[in-house]
Amino acid sequence: MATSVGLLLLLLLLLRQLGAGTGADTEAVVCAGTACYTAHWGKLSAAEAQNLCLQNGGNLATVKSEEEAQHVQQVLAQLLRREAALTARMGKFWIGLQREKGKCLDPSLPLKGFSWVGGGEDTPYSNWHKELRNSCISKRCVSLLLDLSQPLLPGRLPKWSEGPCGSPGSPGSNIEGFVCKFSFKGMCRPLALGGPGQVTYTTPFQTTSSSLEAVPFASAANVACGEGDKDDSQSHYFLCKEKAPDVFDWGSSGPLCVSPKYGCNFNNGGCHQDCFEGGDGSFLCGCRPGFRLLDDLVTCASRNPCSSSPCRGGATCIPGPHGKNYTCRCPQGYQLDSSQLDCVDVDECQDSPCAQECVNTPGSFRCECWVGYEPGGPGEGACQDVDECALGRSPCAQGCTNTEGSFHCSCEEGYVLAGEDGTQCQDVDECVGPGGPLCDSLCFNTQGSFRCGCLPGWVLAPNGVSCAMGPVSLGPPSGPPDEEYKGEREGSTVPPAATASPTRGPEGTPKSTPTTRRPLLSSDAPITSVPLEVLAPSGSPGLWREPSIHHTTAASGAQEPAGGDSSVATQNDDGTDGQKLLLFYILGTVVGILLLLALALGLLVYRKRRAKREEKKEKPQNAADSYSWVPERAESRAMENQYSPTPGTDC
């Protein structure tokens, strides 16, 4: 450490020999708080300017608050004062606000999607010049826009202007320079001179100045006492060190360059507050009531350590005993951060204070219930289950079963759950299920169930599924079908694949085999038309039997014959012979009709040909034989033909 200090002092000596201490600042620099800002001329791209700042340990300047914007304006004002007769033009100076390629504009944020190169994307302060261009295809950088020929007024802070970031050799439109920022852990007060002299500060970022209001940690100070090149000139060298946590000092005691010739008349003797002269030309520094003199015998500090407001944010400063130290205290729901000067929120949810869901809030928290639960009472009590199946709030179309934190719906037999949320019930069309026929003959779908029926000439068996031969009725029915039968046909009707042919039992009574029920499907199936050959009863010719329909309840399988007829007619032994006789009768009738049609057609052709021959023989031989006369007689005969289906036509 001693070697480093010695080298630094040697460097300062060389700087002094090269002209340091002449009274003129070589750079534009402003230090305040814990940061220093420097302004530089140079037509560079944003990347080149950032590299120059990085070489000295900094970044392009941030402007995160109005106070910081004022510091940047001050350093720019210093830079402009050094240039004489600037032309009236607009100039731009790069700052460290940029937006990367591919990141689009976000109008809802103060920084519009931009971020600081040193970190920070959500700072609240902004000072945009105009609406930003919504572009994501290239990198965009921000600069400060100001009139170079006009003085910078404190109330008119430079506006932000965004544009391309430039490239080497092509910095961009109106780019004149850039502003850097350097952060430090603390600052020393400027050295106080009790007599003529000059102080030159050299900062860690290689900037020299003699007019700093705060000197950054690790800076060197070169003090030249005396007036000009007189023999009584003296030189002093100091280094800003950290004397205690958050306490930075030069390590000097008493005012520098003290001269009995001036006493307290020169710069108040270099004292911070009061200067007291002695009788021999000497003087001492003192402090006002409520303050105490520090170890440098120049600076005064408040006896109340909280007078300088060391605590930040919502922290409250609590002075210690004897006014020598203090502690920061945070309000409930917050705790001190690592610096012990500011407060951060406490995440109370880490201790699981809630029965179910915990939501952390600034300085507090709140409890919430999961979906399907509701608070059991006021305050932060436990959550209780919500009965979704309660009267008036059930979301289910039919059955609803409440569960812990949820519920589930169910449907009655003959229905299935439907809808996107599974709360509705849809009728099942049992007559079109893939598991096979439910009925031996006809099937009629109903809401939640189905009914079986039989073809004309058959009746339902007691099991409500099979069909048996019904009583014989001579001739077709004289009136329309039964009203009940009409109603049955309105539903989905599925006939068997072939005519039901019940088998005979040992005693000659018909019997049928029960069939397997099909799975439940949609009730909107269309009416199925039954082919003629299927609906034809297999009985004796000329016999007509009424259809028999039976209602089958899907839930219990109870059998209820339609029309109240529960008897089963026995099948005659000559049933098969009657069916054959009916078939022969139909075929004979068709053959007879065809023979009559053929005979009539032949007679018609014969008479037409005969009429033409007679007409040809009776024509007289005269000069008009070469003309063709219209055979009116033939047409009149054709019109009078008794075998013509329509008078006036031949066929």
Side-chain angles (χ1 to χ4, degrees), residues 353-355 364-367 377-383:
C354 301
S364 183
F365 69 97
R366 70 174 183 270
C367 294
E380 302 173 0
C383 297

Side-chain angles (χ1 to χ4, degrees), residues 8 50 57 215 232 256 270 300 303 336 369 396 436 443 576:
L8 183 59
Q50 170 66 7
V215 184
D232 59 350
L256 299 174
C300 295
R303 293 187 180 276
L336 291 173
C369 295
C396 301
C443 179
T576 304

Side-chain angles (χ1 to χ4, degrees), residues 207-281:
T207 297
T208 60
S209 177
S210 60
S211 59
L212 295 179
E213 296 181 1
V215 184
F217 166 69
S219 295
N222 178 24
V223 181
C225 297
E227 299 178 7
D229 296 331
K230 292 183 179 181
D231 296 337
D232 59 350
S233 62
Q234 298 178 356
S235 296
H236 304 276
Y237 302 96
F238 302 97
L239 187 66
C240 179
K241 302 178 182 179
E242 186 176 11
K243 184 177 180 180
D246 297 329
V247 177
F248 299 88
D249 192 8
W250 294 103
S252 65
S253 60
L256 299 174
C257 303
V258 175
S259 172
K261 178 180 177 182
Y262 296 98
C264 292
N265 296 325
F266 184 91
N267 193 28
N268 194 35
C271 299
H272 186 199
Q273 289 185 356
D274 297 332
C275 181
F276 303 97
E277 292 187 359
D280 55 355

Side-chain angles (χ1 to χ4, degrees), residues 152-185:
L152 298 179
L153 302 177
R156 297 179 60 183
L157 299 175
K159 295 287 186 179
W160 298 0
S161 175
E162 67 94 24
C165 299
S167 59
S170 180
S173 176
N174 299 330
I175 296 298
E176 299 292 341
F178 57 96
V179 182
C180 296
K181 177 183 178 180
F182 306 91
S183 299
F184 299 92
K185 62 188 303 183

Side-chain angles (χ1 to χ4, degrees), residues 116-135:
W116 300 105
V117 293
E121 298 183 1
D122 54 354
T123 52
Y125 177 77
S126 63
N127 192 18
W128 296 103
H129 174 58
K130 60 181 180 180
E131 292 295 329
L132 306 188
R133 179 182 177 185
N134 191 2
S135 173

Side-chain angles (χ1 to χ4, degrees), residues 4 52 184 228 258 325 458 466 504:
S4 301
L52 290 179
F184 299 92
V258 175
N325 52 23
W458 300 83
S466 303
R504 295 179 178 273

